[in-house]
Amino acid sequence: MFAVYIVGTAGSGKTTLTGAFSDWLRDQEQIVATVNLDPAVLSLPYEPDVDVREFVDYERVMAIRSLGPNSALVASIREVVKHIEELKDAMSGIKADWMLVDTPGQMEIFAFRKEGRIIANTLRGDSTAMLFLLDPMFCISPRNFAASLFLSTSVKLVLNLPTVLVLTKADAVPRRYIKRILGWHESEEAFEVDAGAKLKGMQMMFVRDVMNGLRFISSSTPLIPVSSTTMEGFVELHSTLSRVLTEGELELR
Ligand SMILES: Nc1nc2c(ncn2[C@@H]2O[C@H](COP(=O)(O)OP(=O)(O)O)[C@@H](O)[C@H]2O)c(=O)[nH]1
Ligand SMILES: [Mg+2]
């Protein structure tokens, strides 16, 4: 079984993609299991086979411990980790080709805390990878694109999973945005021309140095535009994921 963690900032489209891509894979006659790791989600566009809400009641944690929403989420994820063996048992009973794992809305609670690492190290497939989602509305400035790549690299550093970058909501932005962002990803020159038109002096040097560092670390990480509304890009996402999951990521140093 291939396991795929779907990670990205709040609102980047993780839950929607988990639902749409699992439906699409089933249409390709694949057996797919879905896992919801978000204790705070109210409704899901898919029926999870494993759901952390069965192990922890986020609203109750918030009320009983008089916590705010973020502290309650942290406490809830800790609670989930206490049930990790049960989660593992629930998963081991699943016979699927693919397991899509939808992660909590607030990314840092999963990606930058030890609980997230424990979960990602425990709930695995025969091969495991991560989709890191980028929202094109945010990435359309060179500086934000560099910041988003930086973030994806930070998460990869922590979770240590082969990564495919996904540009979500391709249907919701003008086509030229998608082309421009793909151009920046592919070509150092294209990025520097557009960044140079906006940024000057030290700022430009800083952004360029960051991008050069990121290219050096993970130049061959694929970036695939997709839409969970039109299912654009799912064929490429499927083939790229299959390759990464079978071969591992060539550029992992
Ligand atoms: N137009 C469009 N909207 C999307 C797409 N994917 C997600 N959204 C919307 O983006 C918002 C956040 O999506 P959600 O999946 O909840 O994000 P999450 O917090 O990362 O799980 C919702 O309003 C979705 O309907 C897409 O491919 N196209
Ligand atoms: Mg979500």
Side-chain angles (χ1 to χ4, degrees), residues 88-136:
K88 209 174 156 184
D89 287 349
M91 272 187 48
S92 64
I94 294 172
K95 296 280 167 280
D97 304 312
W98 295 83
M99 180 178 73
L100 304 185
V101 186
D102 184 13
T103 60
Q106 279 85 338
M107 187 192 75
E108 71 278 15
I109 286 169
F110 179 72
F112 294 143
R113 292 190 160 262
K114 77 169 187 300
E115 287 78 12
R117 273 203 304 284
I118 292 170
I119 293 171
N121 284 335
T122 311
L123 307 183
R124 299 183 78 88
D126 301 316
S127 183
T128 306
M130 163 171 80
L131 295 181
F132 191 91
L133 274 46
L134 307 176
D135 188 328

Side-chain angles (χ1 to χ4, degrees), residues 11 13-16 36 38 41 44 46 102-105:
K14 301 179 288 295
T15 298
T16 314
N36 169 46
D38 190 348
V41 72
L44 292 169
Y46 59 90
D102 184 13
T103 60

Side-chain angles (χ1 to χ4, degrees), residues 8-110:
T9 52
S12 57
K14 301 179 288 295
T15 298
T16 314
L17 182 64
T18 305
F21 194 48
S22 59
D23 286 345
W24 185 89
L25 285 168
R26 285 188 192 108
D27 284 348
Q28 315 301 308
E29 307 196 338
Q30 300 284 295
I31 301 169
V32 187
T34 50
V35 178
N36 169 46
L37 289 184
D38 190 348
V41 72
L42 292 176
S43 70
L44 292 169
Y46 59 90
E47 288 248 356
D49 297 87
V50 179
D51 191 342
V52 292
R53 293 176 300 176
E54 285 171 20
F55 302 101
V56 58
D57 183 339
Y58 166 75
E59 295 286 342
R60 194 156 173 270
V61 167
M62 186 148 60
I64 287 184
R65 304 202 205 161
S66 305
L67 297 172
N70 281 322
S71 308
L73 205 46
V74 172
S76 297
I77 293 281
R78 254 187 224 141
E79 204 59 42
V80 168
V81 167
K82 288 186 193 154
H83 293 275
I84 194 87
E85 286 305 318
E86 287 164 69
L87 265 171
K88 209 174 156 184
D89 287 349
M91 272 187 48
S92 64
I94 294 172
K95 296 280 167 280
D97 304 312
W98 295 83
M99 180 178 73
L100 304 185
V101 186
D102 184 13
T103 60
Q106 279 85 338
M107 187 192 75
E108 71 278 15
I109 286 169
F110 179 72

